[in-house]
Each structure stands twice: as structure tokens, then as C-alpha cells.
Amino acid sequence: FNAAPINDLCANAIAINCLDVVVGTTSTAANNDAIDCGSITAEAPNVWYSYTGSGVAEDVTLSMCNSTYDTKITVFSGSCGSLTCMAGNDDFCSTQSQTSFTSDGISTYLIAVHGYAATSIGDFEIIVSCESACTPANANQDCANAMMLTVDAAATTADNTCASSNLNNPSCDQFGVVQDLWFTFIAPSSGSADVVVDTLGLTAYDVSFAIYNGDCNTLNELDCNSTSDEINL
């Protein structure tokens, strides 16, 4: 008989800190908690950790790249009975996971380590690293504050270095809650029937983007691209 890990339940989360290297296993854990987080679904046995701010705002990175199985990791604010998804990842380094979140310096955050599918269990390692919170924050961080673009105008330059993570991913990028920015444009009422949306990654690596219509509460995805820099509508 193999006993369940002591942190098998959210209520028994083990505290971790910056610079920690945490080792553990989900081999004897149960899938006890509803921990869907945006596009990251909970399908495998899980264990829990907690991180409490150091007194100043900081960006915290949790790397599981040295783990031995196909992992997922998700981060929540709130309490065990009222979790709010903040960040998560499925595949970052091959089938292992890495995610980052911004600590306000005061709150306690809850971290779930789980796997890709019901049979995805094994030994894992979490490397915890911290740095000062990135500034300045992005004004167009969410849909409600999307930056207006003008069709046929000059290209607009943006930087998502300090962007935070929204909860849901477009259909072509389902592996984690990613740092994204929002833009909006009004399609011309006359002229060409096609609108071409083109991105040029100046320093960004592997730019993905999706196009929606509707309002922010009822978005309808029209197209999504993670393999090239252009969408034709």
C-alpha cells in the first residue's frame, strides 16, 4: 500500500519559496479537486503547493522542465473553496511545463501539479525563480481595453513583455495561458471584400494570433494562426 502524498488535497498545500527546488510525485495522488484553468483542464492526479508574496510585487516562474512525465501546472488566487485561475501551462519544454505569474507581494497563491491525461503520473521537479515585477503594465491587456487600429494605416508596434496572462487560449494555441494583448479594428464597409491581418515579430518568438467578432462577453473566433504571420478574412 502506497500512501497518498501529504499535499494530495488543496487544503494541505505545501509552502514553497523563491529559489526552492521542489521534488515530488503524483504516482500515488488522486484527482481530488476541480482545477480547470482556462484552456488547461484537470484530468490527472494532482498535488498542491502554495506561494506567499515576499512583501513586494514580483514575477514568479515555476519550471517543471526536469520532470519525468507529461505534466501540467496551474496557479490560482483565492482559497481552496473559491479558486480563481491566474496562469497555467501544458507543454513548454517538450511535454513538461513552465508558467509564470505576478505576485502582489502579499497574497498567497495555490499551485496544482498534475498531468496531461488520467494516466499521466510520475516524479517531478519545480524550480522556483523570482524577479522584480515587470513594468510598465500594458493598457490593452484585456479585451475591454483593446487598442484601436485603423485599416490601411501604418503598422502599430506593441510589446507583450509585461503583459499578464488571460484565461482562455485561441483554438490554435491550447498549451497554456499566455501573455497576450488585444487590438480592435472596424472593417471597411466598401471596397475590397478581404481584410488581411499581418504580424511581424520584431523580437517576439513564435507570434500567434486570433481574430474574433462580437463583443468581449460573446466572442466568436473567425480564424487563428500559430504557424504564419498572416490571416485573410
Side-chain angles (χ1 to χ4, degrees), residues 147-162:
M147 178 187 295
M148 176 62 73
L149 303 177
T150 302
V151 176
D152 293 330
T156 297
T157 300
D159 188 332
N160 73 334
T161 301
C162 293

Side-chain angles (χ1 to χ4, degrees), residues 26-44:
T26 57
S27 296
T28 57
N31 189 359
N32 290 315
D33 305 276
I35 51 173
D36 288 353
C37 185
S39 301
I40 307 302
T41 56
E43 302 176 55

Side-chain angles (χ1 to χ4, degrees), residues 1-2 4 16 20 26 37 50 63 69 78 108 128 132 138 144 146 171 229:
F1 174 75
N2 294 315
I16 59 176
D20 282 353
T26 57
C37 185
S50 65
S63 177
Y69 73 103
T108 294
V128 187
S132 298
N138 298 95
S171 61
D229 58 3

Side-chain angles (χ1 to χ4, degrees), residues 193-217:
D194 294 330
V195 174
V196 178
V197 181
D198 195 10
T199 63
L200 176 63
L202 300 177
T203 59
Y205 173 73
D206 194 17
V207 176
S208 301
F209 62 110
I211 308 295
Y212 304 87
N213 63 8
D215 61 43
C216 292
N217 294 320

Side-chain angles (χ1 to χ4, degrees), residues 161-211:
T161 301
C162 293
S164 59
S165 300
N166 284 293
L167 303 186
N168 293 296
N169 298 106
S171 61
C172 60
D173 190 355
Q174 288 289 311
F175 294 105
V177 184
V178 295
Q179 294 170 245
D180 50 21
L181 298 177
W182 287 80
F183 302 86
T184 184
F185 68 91
I186 299 174
S189 58
S190 61
S192 172
D194 294 330
V195 174
V196 178
V197 181
D198 195 10
T199 63
L200 176 63
L202 300 177
T203 59
Y205 173 73
D206 194 17
V207 176
S208 301
F209 62 110
I211 308 295

Side-chain angles (χ1 to χ4, degrees), residues 5-17 20-26 46-52 62 64 73-76 80 83 108-114 124-126 128:
I6 60 173
N7 56 338
D8 196 29
L9 296 174
C10 176
N12 297 324
I14 296 173
I16 59 176
N17 300 289
D20 282 353
V21 178
V22 180
V23 294
T25 186
T26 57
N46 51 273
V47 293
W48 287 86
Y49 295 90
S50 65
Y51 177 87
T52 302
L62 307 168
M64 299 186 66
I73 187 169
T74 42
V75 181
F76 304 88
C80 291
L83 296 169
T108 294
Y109 303 89
L110 292 159
I111 301 154
V113 172
H114 43 127
F124 62 82
E125 176 186 271
I126 309 172
V128 187

